[in-house]
């Protein structure tokens, strides 16, 4: 030990020592100036991945910072808890990272406070140096076709919320008593929904799907499920891992239509890698097709079909969906458009699930949502002339639109956190902002606010209830019960 230190000391020439003392002086100055600087107060609205990743980055990069995360629900994690499929528990492990962020002394979680309902944007902006909006995309896009309001036409967003125990979807009703369902759209959400409907119930019982949902799924009579795409196999929005899982569902057979693949194998080898592998998997599955006597359910992807209208009976019950057959315009492998033809096809079904994407909700009069369903911004900065208020930022799906996996959301949140960091470092006002202590005064006194300890109480209770049922957790699906357990 001694000889190690001695050896390293022999390298310390006078020139090097000079450099060292300068470095030490600079570090001491930095520490001193940091200690004198005011604490920047940052408010993050929405406790989903974007909010947590931004908070993670900001606390890493800035010493004098306090971050308050305000969340509408009493519980954190956004779509990780209420979107990611229950049979993908490994994806939910990011929660461990977020928990570490929330447990830092300069990060606070305030659950059960909704922006636009319990507090306004301008109130928040008065008491913080920066306000970052990460409240996601909580509505679904509509097809805008005839009879879309008929019974048993449901949004994938609602269906997903229901099987994930979202309080807003607690009373959601869906009739799974018919033989056939059509899922409209071919993204990963559509595949999540298809997999939950087609999986054997005993597989689902091992997940955290709430008991009341399992009892409905257990009685499902659905035998065939169409997955309808308006373009071709080369344009599907789902990814290979999800398709692979779909093809492996026990007692479920995938049935493709050979015609849909005309010309596909000819261009497959020249595709870029992820698309190429996905296409090869579809082609392999198409060529493997054979009737399996053990099949109880059928998964039927169909292509070049746009929903045209829903067919209903006199009581507005769904009888089927009429599709317009499309032709592709342009080169098959170059993001072609589709052209409707006069040809129609009807799928008789008693359940239709619209899965064509989410969109953000405008919760405050001072906000604008653009045509792409997101808040317009410049690298996360929301342009706003009110100089006397806190700067405003947006990250995650609220800023990018409802696209991208957690990794994309992380990249975006890091980028926006960098913009906030730069602005705080360069344009910092000297005035001390009151942060949540001031905001609390503007919120109704009776509102029950859930802190991180409160969430931990809910978490512990859910895990205990789950243990009794042999599953990871049994979620509380009602806000008042959450509040009771939290407080
Ligand atoms: P969100 O996760 O939606 O978080 C927004 C938060 O804001 C929520 O907690 C919400 O309650 C809160 N909030 C809303 N309104 C208010 C308000 N007015 N005031 C305060 N708070 C508010 N990606 C993967 O990598 N793997 C997957 O398996 C996967 N599965 C998915 C499954 C589904 C069904 C969906 C829709 C997406 C999935 N994704 C998956 C994508 C991933 O979920 C998103 O990339 C990510 O959640 C976006 O994060 P966010 O923070 O922008 O939004
Ligand atoms: P998405 O990936 O954008 O897919 C939307 C689908 O709807 C596309 O097939 C699209 O077809 C179709 N569509 C859109 N408008 C339509 C219309 N008017 N008529 C008919 N079809 C229409 O959206 P998503 O499935 O909601 O997923 C959102 C994001 O979350 C994606 O980035 C997804 O990868 C991610 N996610 C990931 C996972 C996972 O990793 N396991 C799970 C769920 C979600 P066109 O291509 O022709 O527009």
């Amino acid at each position: 030990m001694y000889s190690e230190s001695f050896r390293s000391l022999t390298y310390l020439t006078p020139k090097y020592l000079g450099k060292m003392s300068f470095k030490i002086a600079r570090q001491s100055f930095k520490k001193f100036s940091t200690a004198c600087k005011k604490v920047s107060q940052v408010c993050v609205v929405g406790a989903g991945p974007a909010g947590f990743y931004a908070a993670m980055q900001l606390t890493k990069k800035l010493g004098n910072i306090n971050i308050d995360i305000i969340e509408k629900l009493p519980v954190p994690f956004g779509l990780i808890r209420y979107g990611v499929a229950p049979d993908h528990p490994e994806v939910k492990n990011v929660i461990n990272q977020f928990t570490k962020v929330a447990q830092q002394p300069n990060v606070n979680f305030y659950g059960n406070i909704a922006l636009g309902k319990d507090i306004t944007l301008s109130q928040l902006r008065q008491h913080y140096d920066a306000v970052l909006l990460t409240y996601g995309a909580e509505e679904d896009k509509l097809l805008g076709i005839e009879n879309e309001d008929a019974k048993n036409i449901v949004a994938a967003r609602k269906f997903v919320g229901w099987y994930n125990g979202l309080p807003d979807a607690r009373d959601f009703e869906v009739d799974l008593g018919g033989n056939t369902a059509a899922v409209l759209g071919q993204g990963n959400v559509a595949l999540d929904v298809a997999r939950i409907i087609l999986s054997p119930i005993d597989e689902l019982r091992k997940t955290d799907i709430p008991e009341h949902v399992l009892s409905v799924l257990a009685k499902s009579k659905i035998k065939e499920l169409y997955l309808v795409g308006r373009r071709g196999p080369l344009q599907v929005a789902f990814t290979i891992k999800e398709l692979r899982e779909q093809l492996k569902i026990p007692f479920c057979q995938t049935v493709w239509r050979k015609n849909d693949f005309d010309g596909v194998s000819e261009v497959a080898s020249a595709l870029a890698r992820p698309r190429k592998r996905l296409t090869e998997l579809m082609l392999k599955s198409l060529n493997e097709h054979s009737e399996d006597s053990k099949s109880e359910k059928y998964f039927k992807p169909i292509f070049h079909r746009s929903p045209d209208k829903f067919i209903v009976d006199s009581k507005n019950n769904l009888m089927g969906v009429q599709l317009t057959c499309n032709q592709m315009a342009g080169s098959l492998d170059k993001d072609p458009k589709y052209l409707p033809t006069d040809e129609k096809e009807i799928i008789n079904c008693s359940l239709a699930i619209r899965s064509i994407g989410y969109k953000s909700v405008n919760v405050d009069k001072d906000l604008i949502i653009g045509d792409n369903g997101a808040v317009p911004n410049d690298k996360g900065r929301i342009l706003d002339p009110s100089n006397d208020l806190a700067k405003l930022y947006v990250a995650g799906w609220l800023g990018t639109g409802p696209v991208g996996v957690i990794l994309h959301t992380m990249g975006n949140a890091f980028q926006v956190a960098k913009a906030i960091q730069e602005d705080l470092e360069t344009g910092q006002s000297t005035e001390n902002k009151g942060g949540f202590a001031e905001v609390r005064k503007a919120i109704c006194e009776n509102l029950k606010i859930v802190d991180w300890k409160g969430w931990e109480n809910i978490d512990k209770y859910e895990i205990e209830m789950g243990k009794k049922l042999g599953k990871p957790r049994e979620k509380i699906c009602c806000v008042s019960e959450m509040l009771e357990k939290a407080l």
Side-chain angles (χ1 to χ4, degrees):
M1 170 83 174
Y2 171 78
S3 62
E4 273 286 295
S5 318
F6 183 76
R7 208 177 318 140
S8 53
L9 271 177
T10 57
Y11 292 105
L12 297 181
T13 62
K15 190 173 158 205
Y16 187 74
L17 279 170
K19 260 192 194 166
M20 275 251 306
S21 48
F22 173 71
K23 201 171 164 195
I24 291 166
R26 201 177 54 184
Q27 273 170 357
S28 317
F29 175 73
K30 211 171 166 190
K31 267 191 195 155
F32 172 75
S33 64
T34 311
C36 294
K37 246 202 281 172
K38 72 162 204 164
V39 174
S40 297
Q41 296 285 354
V42 175
C43 179
V44 173
V45 180
F52 275 108
Y53 279 124
M56 176 192 283
Q57 193 70 353
L58 284 169
T59 50
K60 224 185 249 175
K61 299 285 175 184
L62 292 172
N64 281 339
I65 192 166
N66 178 72
I67 300 182
D68 296 332
I69 304 179
I70 286 179
E71 164 60 46
K72 180 173 85 165
L73 290 167
V75 294
F77 308 136
L79 285 170
I80 305 302
R81 182 174 159 102
Y82 291 123
V84 171
D87 58 346
H88 286 169
E90 69 292 347
V91 179
K92 295 182 193 258
N93 286 342
V94 285
I95 283 174
N96 300 330
Q97 265 182 303
F98 299 161
T99 299
K100 282 190 188 137
V101 173
Q103 285 170 341
Q104 294 177 98
N106 54 347
V107 177
N108 306 294
F109 171 76
Y110 297 111
N112 200 34
I113 303 174
L115 173 67
K117 181 169 157 259
D118 303 311
I119 192 83
T120 66
L121 196 52
S122 86
Q123 284 171 321
L124 287 181
R125 292 180 73 191
Q126 280 165 38
H127 302 300
Y128 286 93
D129 292 296
V131 175
L132 168 63
L133 302 177
T134 61
Y135 70 76
E138 296 213 315
E139 251 180 34
D140 43 284
K141 289 185 187 142
L142 292 171
L143 287 159
I145 60 173
E146 206 177 318
N147 298 326
E148 202 165 350
D149 61 350
K151 291 175 200 159
N152 235 23
I153 299 173
V154 300
R157 187 185 60 82
K158 272 270 166 166
F159 193 82
V160 165
W162 173 66
Y163 66 60
N164 271 314
L166 179 71
D168 268 2
R170 175 73 180 81
D171 300 323
F172 170 77
E173 282 179 12
V174 61
D175 181 357
L176 303 177
N179 186 71
T180 305
V183 176
L184 308 169
Q186 291 185 327
N188 277 328
V189 173
L191 270 199
D192 278 357
V193 166
R195 195 175 64 254
I196 296 296
I197 292 178
L198 295 172
S199 289
I201 191 70
D202 287 339
E203 295 294 317
L204 301 180
R205 287 193 202 285
K206 298 173 199 159
T207 72
D208 66 7
I209 296 181
E211 289 299 294
H212 71 277
V213 176
L214 283 172
S215 69
V216 177
L217 291 172
K219 290 184 208 128
S220 168
K221 295 272 184 295
I222 292 174
K223 293 270 172 286
E224 64 173 356
L225 184 145
Y226 286 88
L227 195 86
V228 183
R230 59 181 170 179
R231 298 194 285 162
L234 292 171
Q235 288 78 44
V236 291
F238 55 71
T239 42
I240 192 162
K241 176 178 166 279
E242 285 62 34
L243 177 63
R244 214 175 267 138
E245 275 179 283
Q246 188 68 38
L247 298 177
K248 284 186 185 156
I249 296 177
F251 310 115
C252 178
Q253 188 171 338
T254 301
V255 183
W256 308 91
R257 288 180 180 173
K258 266 212 153 40
N259 293 352
D260 284 339
F261 287 81
D262 285 351
V264 170
S265 57
E266 286 80 343
V267 293
S269 60
L271 296 169
R273 193 140 192 274
R275 177 66 66 186
K276 181 176 172 212
R277 287 181 57 222
L278 173 61
T279 308
E280 283 168 353
L281 180 61
M282 283 189 269
L283 287 167
K284 181 168 174 264
S285 166
L286 170 79
N287 295 327
E288 274 170 3
H289 171 72
S290 64
E291 189 60 35
D292 181 351
S293 59
K294 286 200 216 112
S295 297
E296 292 168 4
K297 293 182 182 174
Y298 296 88
F299 172 57
K300 299 184 170 179
I302 61 171
F303 297 90
H304 310 121
R305 303 283 185 273
S306 288
D308 178 42
K309 68 173 181 184
F310 292 104
I311 299 163
V312 297
D313 68 7
S314 57
K315 291 186 178 151
N316 214 22
N317 292 309
L318 180 69
M319 306 302 287
V321 52
Q322 177 167 301
L323 305 169
T324 299
C325 305
N326 299 324
Q327 265 175 359
M328 301 309 282
S331 177
L332 277 193
D333 52 344
K334 301 228 163 54
D335 202 23
K337 301 262 173 295
Y338 62 90
L339 292 177
T341 68
D342 293 335
E343 204 184 324
K344 308 281 178 195
E345 175 178 348
I346 290 176
I347 295 177
N348 296 317
C349 59
S350 59
L351 168 64
I353 302 182
R354 184 180 57 230
S355 185
I356 59 168
Y358 288 40
K359 66 178 185 193
S360 292
V361 187
N362 197 346
V363 300
D364 191 287
K365 68 172 180 40
D366 290 341
L367 272 179
I368 296 169
I369 304 278
D371 291 342
N372 65 343
V375 174
N377 65 91
D378 180 13
K379 296 195 185 101
R381 293 180 177 97
I382 301 178
L383 302 174
D384 182 291
S386 345
N387 281 332
D388 50 335
L389 293 173
K391 285 208 171 122
L392 204 50
Y393 304 84
V394 61
W397 277 19
L398 182 62
T400 59
V403 283
V405 294
I406 300 163
L407 209 65
H408 298 126
T409 299
M410 180 186 81
N412 172 257
F414 283 178
Q415 191 193 32
V416 179
K418 192 159 179 275
I420 299 176
Q421 180 198 341
E422 283 166 7
D423 292 352
L424 286 176
E425 281 173 342
T426 54
Q428 180 80 276
S429 83
T430 48
E431 185 199 350
N432 277 311
K433 295 297 174 96
F436 194 74
E438 287 302 314
V439 166
R440 183 70 187 94
K441 294 178 195 163
I443 295 175
C444 169
E445 251 177 52
N446 298 333
L447 188 77
K448 292 176 176 162
I449 298 173
V450 177
D451 61 10
W452 196 256
K453 180 82 195 74
W455 152 244
E456 285 175 340
N457 292 341
I458 296 173
D459 189 36
K460 193 164 161 243
Y461 176 81
E462 288 185 346
I463 293 172
E464 271 168 19
M465 295 317 275
K467 236 180 228 160
K468 291 182 189 160
L469 296 161
K471 57 204 277 197
R473 70 171 65 230
E474 178 63 12
K475 285 182 186 167
I476 303 176
C477 304
C478 156
V479 167
S480 59
E481 200 189 336
M482 285 177 180
L483 294 177
E484 196 186 297
K485 294 291 177 286
L487 307 169

